[in-house]
Amino acid sequence: MPFVEVDTNLPASRVPPGLEKRLCAATAAILGKPEDRVNVTVRPGLAMAVNGSPEPCAQLLISSIAVVGTAEENRAHSARFFEFLTKELDLGQDRIIIRFFPLEPWQIGKNGTVMTFL
């Protein structure tokens, strides 16, 4: 059950319509998870700076169970997410940062319980 959040200082008018749906599909493909388990949030128009600069930028936060826990995994994921985001947001790689957070099944609540018991 991946959670993906895009924070950006780009105004909403510069974020392509339907980005959340395309990012959901891309995340499913990149992480090897079913698309109906992927959760995406896009937050435009934030006060942000990346590498000390407030020029247009984005930060991607990815948390999931069992697929973002090693440097090798995240290196491969990072390349594919950078490819997606640079095209979609028209930003250079130096203006995007990605943070990976491994999750345990007991940390995600769903249907009145936690994923451990589903």
Side-chain angles (χ1 to χ4, degrees):
M1 179 168 279
F3 297 88
V4 178
E5 303 172 45
V6 178
D7 293 333
T8 182
N9 61 359
L10 294 172
S13 62
R14 194 164 150 208
V15 173
L19 173 65
E20 66 284 350
K21 181 65 179 153
R22 289 188 302 282
L23 182 54
C24 189
T27 298
I30 292 167
L31 299 181
K33 296 284 189 172
E35 190 171 343
D36 65 354
R37 293 274 178 110
V38 177
N39 302 281
V40 173
T41 303
V42 177
R43 289 184 287 269
L46 299 175
M48 290 179 62
V50 165
N51 301 327
S53 169
E55 292 299 313
C57 61
Q59 177 177 233
L60 185 67
L61 290 80
I62 303 165
S63 37
S64 188
I65 298 169
V67 294
V68 296
T70 70
E72 291 77 17
E73 288 172 328
N74 292 344
R75 178 192 220 174
H77 301 328
S78 184
R80 294 180 70 190
F81 278 113
F82 269 103
E83 181 182 351
F84 177 86
L85 287 175
T86 56
K87 288 179 184 172
E88 286 283 338
L89 298 178
D90 193 28
L91 294 173
Q93 286 190 3
D94 65 323
R95 302 305 305 147
I96 300 169
I97 192 95
I98 300 175
R99 293 192 293 160
F100 294 97
F101 296 97
L103 294 173
E104 296 294 329
W106 55 267
Q107 293 176 301
I108 300 172
K110 184 172 179 171
N111 295 332
T113 186
V114 293
M115 293 299 292
T116 303
F117 302 107
L118 294 176

